[in-house]
């Protein structure tokens, strides 16, 4: 008997004969989502877009007892299953602990669904799959498990809370391939089993369904910090739901309120108190299941979250399944890709670099992180030569004069509590997102070109220290001399054509 026929017959066999005949008479098993039985009500077969009554008679206690006996033991979370299938039977109990309702959900292993995210899985990214209940998150998760274990030959361990991924019984369903499966006795113990899987079984990938508690979110972070790839699911409609969910926000790095200095707040055009990400996200990529065959993909989740918190409209990549294994990709709207901000000029580009003055932070980590991000980041010998100051929290507390000096020079100041490669890489992403308005940047170029054409000097508008540093860097790239003159807040940059030389102050002085 084919696996499909076996699964169908196994599901039908748990019902009393009249209900079996009614379900067979519908001839819609491939579309069936679940069968619902409530004591004293008409039984229903539910499909994705409609439902059909299965009988004119109401459900009796005998009907429910018949199914309970067929299923056997229910777990403490009131879930049961059918041996070596993916079907799930959930019970509703009264105050006396008697079963008075059943939800009999059809489980299917749908092969060939991985192609729509195959490139993300191959890349080794940690992926969080988000969607409402019943939209197909677990099906996609099961396929990812099979693909990674059988095709990519990775050591995959599934932490299976309710046996929904690997099916009921001690032998996992063939739909998960050669992935190993650890069952969870109690929902509240799921986070302990996740850590146990890493410590005891040397996995390359951990697969976890329905991350819903803060302990599970923290366990995911611990696993990610140990270098293990994560594939998980969570309930929610979109990225906005996840950001406003206090239980799961740690998956995105957490959120904290930061008070900016006057100049930094003016540069950003925001209030002094802003929301920022606490740390690097646990997952690299977010996949929203909007419909069964429509996915929204957010790459570089750290940058995406930063932009959302700063008020930018982030557009995902849309993927639509067309027929069979075929699908089409709609890239983000022009200028709205997560890796760059619309209408902005980045702090560093392919032909420019950023100079960091660091104290209490590993220079090796700076070099490795900048190489990973394909960014030209150089370490400045003195604070006066730097564009940005980066200090460890400990050093900033012990040597407050460094903070005061950075503020006096008008330099953006960043601190980090962790001297680790992941933390430094995360900080460099934030620095990379610093930008100025594109029109403003174009006006600077226009004035500087006027200086070249007319062989005279040109005064740029009054601006803060950070903008002045960018203006000096731009002048340097264009081969012009520049200097700052005036007293705050009426201090500005003056640029000179190559035929001229500034009459006072060193070139590029802020």
């Amino acid at each position: 008997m084919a696996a499909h026929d076996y699964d169908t017959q196994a599901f039908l066999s748990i019902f009393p004969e009249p209900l079996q005949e009614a379900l067979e008479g519908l001839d819609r098993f491939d579309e069936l989502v679940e069968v619902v039985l409530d004591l004293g009500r008409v039984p229903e077969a539910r499909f994705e877009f409609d439902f059909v009554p299965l009988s004119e008679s109401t459900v009796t206690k005998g009907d429910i007892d018949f199914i309970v006996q067929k299923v056997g033991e229910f777990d403490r979370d009131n879930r049961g299953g059918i041996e070596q299938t993916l079907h799930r039977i959930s019970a509703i109990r009264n105050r006396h602990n008697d079963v008075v309702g059943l939800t009999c959900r059809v489980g299917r292993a749908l092969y060939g669904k991985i192609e729509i995210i195959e490139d993300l899985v191959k890349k080794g990214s940690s992926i969080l799959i988000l969607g409402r209940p019943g939209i197909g998150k677990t099906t996609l998760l099961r396929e990812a498990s099979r693909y990674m274990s059988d095709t990519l030959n990775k050591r995959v361990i599934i932490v299976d809370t309710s046996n929904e991924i690997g099916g009921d019984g001690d032998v996992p369903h063939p739909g998960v391939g050669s992935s190993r499966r650890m069952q969870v006795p109690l929902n509240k113990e799921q986070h302990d089993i996740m850590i146990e899987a890493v410590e005891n079984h040397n996995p390359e990938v951990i697969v976890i369904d329905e991350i819903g508690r803060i302990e599970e979110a923290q366990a995911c972070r611990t696993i990610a910090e140990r270098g293990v790839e994560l594939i998980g699911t969570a309930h929610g409609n979109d990225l906005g739901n996840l950001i406003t969910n206090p239980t799961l926000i740690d998956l995105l790095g957490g959120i904290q309120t930061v008070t900016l200095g006057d100049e930094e707040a003016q540069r950003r055009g925001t209030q002094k108190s802003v929301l920022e990400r606490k740390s690097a996200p646990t997952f690299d990529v977010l996949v929203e299941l909007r419909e069964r065959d429509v996915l929204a993909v957010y790459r570089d989740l750290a940058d995406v979250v930063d932009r959302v918190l700063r008020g930018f409209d982030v557009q995902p990549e849309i993927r639509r399944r067309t027929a069979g294994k075929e699908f089409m990709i709609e890239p983000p709207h022009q200028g709205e890709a997560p890796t760059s901000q619309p209408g902005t000029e980045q702090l560093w580009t392919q032909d420019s670099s950023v100079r960091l003055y660091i104290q209490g932070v590993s220079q090796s980590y700076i070099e490795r992180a900048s190489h990973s991000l394909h960014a030209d980041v150089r370490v400045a010998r003195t604070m006066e030569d730097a564009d940005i100051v980066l200090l460890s929290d400990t050093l900033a507390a012990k040597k407050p004069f460094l903070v005061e000096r950075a503020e006096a020079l008008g330099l953006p100041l960043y601190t980090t509590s962790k001297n680790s490669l992941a933390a430094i890489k995360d900080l460099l992403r934030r620095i990379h997102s610093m930008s100025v308005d594109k029109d403003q940047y174009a006006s600077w170029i226009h004035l500087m070109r006027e200086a070249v054409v007319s062989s005279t000097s040109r005064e740029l508008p009054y601006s803060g220290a950070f903008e002045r540093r960018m203006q000096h860097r731009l002048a340097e790239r264009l081969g012009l001399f520049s200097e700052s003159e005036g007293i705050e807040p009426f201090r500005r940059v003056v640029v000179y054509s190559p035929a001229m030389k500034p009459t006072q102050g060193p070139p590029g002085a802020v």
Side-chain angles (χ1 to χ4, degrees), residues 160-200:
D160 207 352
T161 311
S162 57
N163 287 350
E164 196 169 353
I165 304 175
D168 202 55
D170 294 333
V171 180
H173 191 275
V176 300
S178 58
S179 301
R180 302 180 74 189
R181 193 258 300 266
M182 295 182 69
Q183 299 184 53
V184 180
L186 288 174
N187 278 353
K188 63 182 181 181
E189 296 177 2
Q190 179 167 281
H191 61 284
D192 291 329
I193 303 298
M194 293 167 65
I195 300 300
E196 181 186 330
V198 175
E199 292 177 342
N200 292 354

Side-chain angles (χ1 to χ4, degrees), residues 116-350:
I116 199 165
I117 60 167
E118 183 178 4
D119 58 321
L120 304 176
V121 176
K122 269 186 178 179
K123 191 177 178 181
S125 303
S126 286
I127 303 170
L128 179 61
I129 302 170
L130 192 68
R132 65 182 185 271
I135 200 170
K137 299 187 300 297
T138 305
T139 299
L140 194 59
L141 196 66
R142 190 181 300 117
E143 263 290 84
S145 303
R146 181 192 60 78
Y147 180 81
M148 287 185 292
S149 62
D150 289 359
T151 304
L152 302 183
N153 297 317
K154 289 188 175 183
R155 299 186 300 274
V156 180
I157 288 189
I158 299 168
V159 178
D160 207 352
T161 311
S162 57
N163 287 350
E164 196 169 353
I165 304 175
D168 202 55
D170 294 333
V171 180
H173 191 275
V176 300
S178 58
S179 301
R180 302 180 74 189
R181 193 258 300 266
M182 295 182 69
Q183 299 184 53
V184 180
L186 288 174
N187 278 353
K188 63 182 181 181
E189 296 177 2
Q190 179 167 281
H191 61 284
D192 291 329
I193 303 298
M194 293 167 65
I195 300 300
E196 181 186 330
V198 175
E199 292 177 342
N200 292 354
H201 302 290
N202 192 31
E204 293 177 280
V205 185
I206 291 286
V207 175
I208 175 71
D209 198 13
E210 295 183 9
I211 303 167
R213 294 178 174 84
I214 192 167
E215 295 86 0
E216 293 156 14
Q218 291 169 347
C220 286
R221 175 167 297 281
T222 300
I223 291 169
E225 288 174 351
R226 297 185 185 188
V228 178
E229 186 182 336
L230 273 169
I231 310 289
T233 69
H235 288 307
N237 290 324
D238 52 36
L239 176 62
N241 291 154
L242 205 56
I243 289 178
T244 56
N245 186 327
T247 303
L248 300 181
I249 185 59
D250 191 56
L251 298 175
L252 302 181
I255 295 177
Q256 62 185 352
T257 302
V258 176
T259 303
L260 304 175
D262 293 336
E263 193 168 306
E264 178 68 7
Q266 183 180 6
R267 183 189 72 78
R268 292 193 187 187
T270 64
Q271 298 178 347
K272 294 187 67 174
S273 293
V274 297
L275 294 176
E276 286 195 352
R277 193 165 36 83
K278 283 183 184 178
S279 57
T282 303
F283 293 88
D284 305 311
V285 178
L286 175 68
V287 175
E288 290 177 3
L289 274 175
R290 296 188 170 179
E291 297 176 20
R292 286 190 179 274
D293 294 320
V294 181
L295 281 66
V297 177
Y298 293 92
R299 301 172 183 265
D300 193 358
L301 201 47
D303 185 65
V304 168
V305 174
D306 287 344
R307 291 189 56 200
V308 170
L309 293 178
R310 293 180 64 183
F312 288 93
D313 181 25
V314 180
Q315 297 296 324
E317 173 187 292
I318 304 297
R319 301 185 176 196
R320 301 178 188 274
R321 187 176 283 108
T322 52
K325 297 182 179 182
E326 301 297 323
F327 64 94
M328 59 182 292
I329 297 178
E330 300 172 16
H333 298 311
Q334 184 69 25
E336 298 197 14
T339 52
S340 62
Q341 297 176 5
T344 62
E345 185 71 25
Q346 295 298 330
L347 177 61
W348 69 65
T349 57
Q350 291 181 351

Side-chain angles (χ1 to χ4, degrees), residues 423-437:
I424 299 304
K425 191 173 179 181
D426 188 47
L427 271 173
L428 291 187
R429 282 197 187 99
R430 296 192 198 183
I431 294 169
H432 189 262
S433 69
M434 295 169 65
S435 56
V436 296
D437 184 81

Side-chain angles (χ1 to χ4, degrees), residues 264 267-268 346-348 353-359 361 366 376-391 402 405-407 409-415 424 427-435 465-467 469-470 473 510:
E264 178 68 7
R267 183 189 72 78
R268 292 193 187 187
Q346 295 298 330
L347 177 61
W348 69 65
S353 63
V354 164
R355 294 181 288 250
L356 285 182
Y357 178 76
I358 60 174
Q359 287 286 336
V361 177
I366 295 287
D376 187 2
V377 181
R378 301 176 187 180
V379 177
R381 293 192 175 186
T382 66
M383 196 178 291
E384 287 73 15
D385 294 331
D387 299 309
I388 292 167
V389 176
L390 175 57
L391 307 174
L402 290 174
R405 181 62 178 156
E407 291 175 347
L409 291 171
L411 294 173
L413 173 64
Y414 287 81
T415 62
I424 299 304
L427 271 173
L428 291 187
R429 282 197 187 99
R430 296 192 198 183
I431 294 169
H432 189 262
S433 69
M434 295 169 65
S435 56
F466 177 76
E467 283 80 5
R469 284 187 174 273
M470 291 196 70
R473 299 291 300 282
V510 176

